[in-house]
Amino acid sequence: MKETKQSILKKDGVNYLIPFILITFCFALWGFANDITNPMVKAFSKIFRMSVTDGALVQVAFYGGYFAMAFPAAIFIRKYSYKAGILVGLGLYAVGGLLFFPAKMTGEYYSFLIAYFILTCGLSFLETSANPYILSMGTEETATCRLNLAQSFNPMGSLLGMYVAINFIQARLNPLDTAERAQLSPAEFETVRDSDLSVLITPYLIIGLVILAVFLLILFTRMPKNQDQSHDINFIPTLKRIFSIPRYREGVIT
């Protein structure tokens, strides 16, 4: 059993245990961000006295980051390296999380949407980098096993995100619902809103600091380089090639 574990994270006599642990932790980090976000639709709708439809702009901003950065992230990683992609992803993730503090100071809903968008641009870089990076940390024969092990930490982060959203945000918000908040005077509403926003931003500020710590760890840790990867960027030919695959094309449309 011990021999199998070692072979999973070894290639040409090089042990990838530390890099594997650091990148696997990133799987949990983006799982956390994904599942702390969905309950925020209800939270923001309540805090800002909005409809659920307006509150759903949180999800539009969040998943818009994935849409906007998927191809740029792939091009960046192709040109530079997996480690560079991970660092950019962590940097954007940290900036997005820490931007919740100035967003709270403005008291404007749209400031939070900008923070979510930047945060998710970071997640797009992370996901685009981490999966192939994990595959490269060992032999080709053990690549699937390695990736499955790393991906098993993603739902752990997701569960933690949901737990924090429910128990540390929603449960601590002022119990007044949207209709009751509409009856408050402007001064009373601002007091309740600012108190709730202080509750809401705390987990994001904490995760932003955690991300910064992981960023520094990866920055100063010797990580494997994807030296065997070509750095040529053939964007249009690549698009034509992948969209010529019927199942891929149908999957994108779906």
Side-chain angles (χ1 to χ4, degrees):
M1 186 68 179
K2 185 177 179 183
E3 229 174 66
T4 305
K5 285 184 180 178
Q6 287 179 338
S7 65
I8 288 174
L9 299 173
K10 267 187 163 183
K11 184 179 181 182
D12 300 327
V14 180
N15 193 315
Y16 295 109
L17 177 62
I18 300 303
F20 178 81
I21 290 171
L22 290 173
I23 302 305
T24 296
F25 190 52
C26 293
F27 282 76
L29 290 175
W30 81 63
F32 178 90
N34 280 317
D35 282 270
I36 196 177
T37 301
N38 290 329
M40 293 303 100
V41 172
K42 184 177 179 181
F44 276 109
S45 299
K46 182 177 178 180
I47 291 171
F48 287 100
R49 300 188 297 194
M50 302 182 301
S51 67
V52 174
T53 302
D54 290 331
L57 287 175
V58 167
Q59 291 175 312
V60 173
F62 189 85
Y63 293 106
Y66 278 110
F67 178 81
M69 277 296 146
F71 275 122
I75 292 170
F76 179 89
I77 295 158
R78 182 81 171 180
K79 185 171 178 59
Y80 296 101
S81 66
Y82 294 136
K83 179 176 179 178
I86 292 288
L87 291 175
V88 170
L90 290 171
L92 290 171
Y93 189 168
V95 168
L98 296 175
L99 278 176
F100 272 66
F101 181 74
K104 186 259 180 185
M105 299 304 291
T106 67
E108 295 292 331
Y109 176 50
Y110 292 101
S111 301
F112 288 96
L113 298 183
I114 293 170
Y116 272 118
F117 182 80
I118 293 172
L119 185 153
T120 318
C121 286
L123 298 185
S124 187
F125 267 89
L126 273 184
E127 295 194 35
T128 306
S129 308
N131 285 291
Y133 206 8
I134 287 290
L135 290 174
S136 72
M137 291 181 185
T139 63
E140 188 176 341
E141 292 77 17
T142 59
T144 302
C145 182
R146 199 161 45 251
L147 185 60
N148 287 341
L149 178 58
Q151 288 180 337
S152 69
F153 285 83
N154 184 260
M156 295 182 190
S158 298
L159 289 172
L160 181 60
M162 285 187 284
Y163 180 82
V164 170
I166 294 168
N167 295 282
F168 291 91
I169 297 179
Q170 289 186 337
R172 299 187 180 188
L173 296 180
N174 191 295
L176 292 174
D177 61 23
T178 303
E180 291 169 326
R181 288 170 190 245
Q183 306 301 317
L184 298 175
S185 67
E188 290 172 330
F189 169 67
E190 285 185 18
T191 300
V192 173
R193 181 200 64 195
D194 291 346
S195 174
D196 282 348
L197 288 177
S198 295
V199 170
L200 185 144
I201 69 170
T202 300
Y204 287 95
L205 297 182
I206 292 172
I207 196 65
L209 294 174
V210 170
I211 298 299
L212 277 180
V214 176
F215 176 93
L216 293 173
L217 276 173
I218 292 177
L219 178 64
F220 294 112
T221 299
R222 189 172 180 179
M223 305 288 284
K225 297 179 180 178
N226 45 322
Q227 293 174 330
D228 57 336
Q229 176 182 297
S230 168
H231 295 286
D232 295 332
I233 299 171
N234 303 306
F235 185 67
I236 301 301
T238 300
L239 275 184
K240 288 181 179 177
R241 179 173 58 81
I242 61 176
F243 275 99
S244 68
I245 304 170
R247 289 190 179 180
Y248 178 86
R249 186 172 62 246
E250 291 162 7
V252 171
I253 293 170
T254 303

